[in-house]
Amino acid sequence: MKAHLEEQAHTPAHSAPHPRRWTALALICAAQFMLILDVTVVNVALPALSADLDLGRTALTWVVTAYTLCFGGLMLLGGRLADALGARRVLLTGLALFTAASLACGLAQNAPVLLAGRIAQGIGAALLSPAALALVTTAFHGAERAKALGAWAAIGGTGSAVGVLLGGALTEGPGWPWVFYVNVPVGLALLATLPKVLPANRAGQTTARLDVPGALLVTTATGALVYGLVQAGDSGWTSAATLLPLLGALALYGLFAAVERASSAPLMDLRMLKRRPVVAGSLLMLIATALLISFFFLGSMQLQHVYGLGAFRTGLLFLPIALTTAIGAHLGSRLVTTAGPRTCATGGLALAALGCLPLTFLTPAANPWATLLPALATASLGLGAVFVAATTTSLGLIAPHEAGLASGIVNTFHEVGGSIGIAAVSTLALTTTTQPTNTGFTAAFTLCAATAATAALTSPFLIPRGTPRPTGGPHGVH
């Protein structure tokens, strides 16, 4: 998502600042806010969706993963399109597609239409997000750019927090279609106002080559991986329905690597995956996102199915969990500059594991406000710090000129991590039904605790020693 940052930041000359740049920033952030909100707003509505549209476990899982899968898998291609066709044009196209897809999701009467709408939403988001960031980095310069990027970064935490509360209020109020309908008036208003304030398109690089095969291969490979994980809950881990998609995913990832090596303009520079900081940061981002999105998914289903809470109360309970994630990120940003990302990541993951531990033996008789809430809030506090450690490891411990490529890879792992996480935990928690018992949730939270603990134990060996410089670049890396 930040793949253009370094390229734009090092442009040798730039034009005078755009006179309406701050208005444009506010509108662009509103558009990005919708994309982030749609990751979490659906989670609270899942039980209502399941009941109204008669969705099975597999379809219910894909309602969440189809969006994040296309968002993450096609994001790098969206960035390349913004370079080739102009960021303004690509942003408006992505916004129009996302808005139309949101309307289609709200009108859906069956699973195929809903899932098609979620896929279209993900494609629109993959076009909009990198183009929006490219416009932010070109419209602002010097100290103003730092302020603008700070506003952009704040969208992530607030979008997640508002998403759970809004999802609960809309589901229990006018109904689940409104978690999608809410995007339509906002999208239309942005489509009407953004063209008036965005800078004109710069001439696109008409000779730029787009690695469409690479984008399709990596997205299909991840889709096959998610499908295999989901099938494991229905057919077992040793069945052909599970093993064939998983093996197919491995083959497609291998083909993707071959295509990228042969391409003159690869979607992903695989040489970056030989850099220890990039690998460490990407894995941290994947694990942290997988765990956090799994918490929203599992908690929402457990609170409504096992504990009988309504959608609005579920949203209220998740609001402090989203806020503790933001607090953890704030504390992590201080810790990485003093103790380094290795300590920050290890401590954050250990805290996440400890937070999950009580959930491995939670009973239906327990009060969720006294058990589930503090446990997930503690785990999310640690994950907030891990997100910061992942970013600073991948960007702050490498040379500044490599930050653009590294950022694109890490942000792709961020979106894909949610898809993989939900696929894995839904296999354990929901098995073959969407009316689960507490036993499945206990198994799923045990997997989360084990994953966080394993990552905490391996982080000191994976993450390079050192602290990032404020301006980017390595400092004392070993």
Side-chain angles (χ1 to χ4, degrees):
M1 193 162 60
K2 300 177 183 175
H4 309 286
L5 183 55
E6 287 299 316
E7 297 174 16
Q8 303 292 354
H10 290 87
T11 302
H14 55 76
S15 58
H18 190 267
R20 305 187 71 178
R21 61 193 179 280
W22 291 106
T23 303
L25 174 67
L27 296 176
I28 288 172
C29 284
Q32 175 71 7
F33 185 82
M34 285 198 305
L35 309 187
I36 301 300
L37 183 144
D38 252 58
V39 176
T40 56
V41 72
V42 177
N43 281 282
V44 182
L46 288 176
L49 273 165
S50 173
D52 284 1
L53 300 185
D54 192 25
L55 300 182
R57 182 190 67 87
T58 301
L60 202 64
T61 303
W62 281 106
V63 169
V64 181
T65 58
Y67 176 69
T68 55
L69 176 63
C70 292
F71 191 176
L74 298 175
M75 191 185 300
L76 290 177
L77 181 63
R80 293 295 177 90
L81 283 170
D83 285 339
L85 304 178
R88 184 179 190 270
R89 184 180 294 116
V90 172
L91 183 148
L92 293 174
T93 301
L95 178 59
L97 177 58
F98 181 86
T99 304
S102 297
L103 178 62
C105 288
L107 294 171
Q109 297 296 311
N110 52 55
V113 175
L114 179 61
L115 294 180
R118 289 293 279 170
I119 290 171
Q121 276 189 314
I123 296 171
L127 293 173
L128 193 159
S129 189
L133 185 57
L135 285 167
V136 171
T137 57
T138 53
F140 294 90
H141 309 282
E144 283 190 348
R145 177 180 285 158
K147 293 180 181 178
L149 292 175
W152 175 273
I155 294 298
T158 54
S160 299
V162 173
V164 292
L165 186 59
L166 184 63
L170 291 174
T171 301
E172 199 157 296
W176 66 260
W178 283 91
V179 304
F180 302 111
Y181 286 153
V182 71
N183 295 324
V184 178
V186 178
L188 292 175
L190 290 172
L191 284 169
T193 53
L194 272 171
K196 302 175 183 178
V197 299
L198 289 179
N201 262 328
R202 296 183 178 183
Q205 299 175 4
T206 56
T207 59
R209 296 184 60 185
L210 299 175
D211 184 15
V212 176
L216 294 178
L217 278 171
V218 71
T219 305
T220 305
T222 308
L225 174 62
V226 170
Y227 181 81
L229 292 174
V230 172
Q231 282 297 114
D234 294 334
S235 306
W237 287 99
T238 58
S239 69
T242 299
L243 293 178
L244 287 178
L246 294 179
L247 293 174
L250 290 177
L252 288 170
Y253 280 128
L255 184 58
F256 167 72
V259 167
E260 296 306 281
R261 290 193 187 96
S263 175
S264 58
L267 186 71
M268 181 184 294
D269 188 348
L270 296 180
R271 292 174 298 179
M272 292 299 294
L273 297 180
K274 297 180 180 179
R275 300 297 311 277
R276 184 178 170 191
V278 176
V279 173
S282 297
L283 290 176
L284 283 176
M285 186 64 77
L286 185 143
I287 291 170
T289 307
L291 289 172
L292 185 63
I293 300 300
S294 294
F295 291 164
F296 283 108
F297 180 85
L298 291 171
S300 175
M301 297 296 289
Q302 187 173 29
L303 287 169
Q304 295 183 69
H305 278 302
V306 178
Y307 294 101
L309 269 65
F312 183 65
R313 290 182 67 193
T314 298
L316 280 177
L317 191 144
F318 268 100
L319 183 58
I321 295 170
L323 293 177
T324 55
T325 307
I327 294 171
H330 176 71
L331 297 175
S333 64
R334 297 190 175 193
L335 183 61
V336 292
T337 58
T338 55
R342 177 185 286 187
T343 301
C344 182
T346 303
L349 287 166
L351 190 61
L354 288 174
C356 287
L357 194 59
L359 303 179
T360 61
F361 48 82
L362 198 62
T363 65
N367 184 341
W369 294 90
T371 52
L372 190 69
L373 174 59
L376 289 183
T378 300
S380 299
L381 182 71
L383 291 180
V386 178
F387 283 120
V388 176
T391 303
T392 53
T393 298
S394 56
L395 302 183
L397 297 180
I398 63 172
H401 72 274
E402 297 176 313
L405 289 171
S407 177
I409 294 172
V410 171
N411 279 283
T412 298
F413 273 73
H414 177 276
E415 299 301 331
V416 171
S419 299
I420 295 174
I422 289 180
V425 298
S426 72
T427 295
L428 293 174
L430 305 184
T431 59
T432 59
T433 176
T434 55
Q435 299 294 329
T437 63
N438 206 58
T439 305
F441 289 108
T442 300
F445 280 121
T446 300
L447 174 64
C448 291
T451 300
T454 302
L457 292 172
T458 56
S459 288
F461 305 98
L462 181 64
I463 302 172
R465 187 181 295 116
T467 56
R469 291 178 177 174
T471 55
H475 176 66
V477 181
H478 303 289

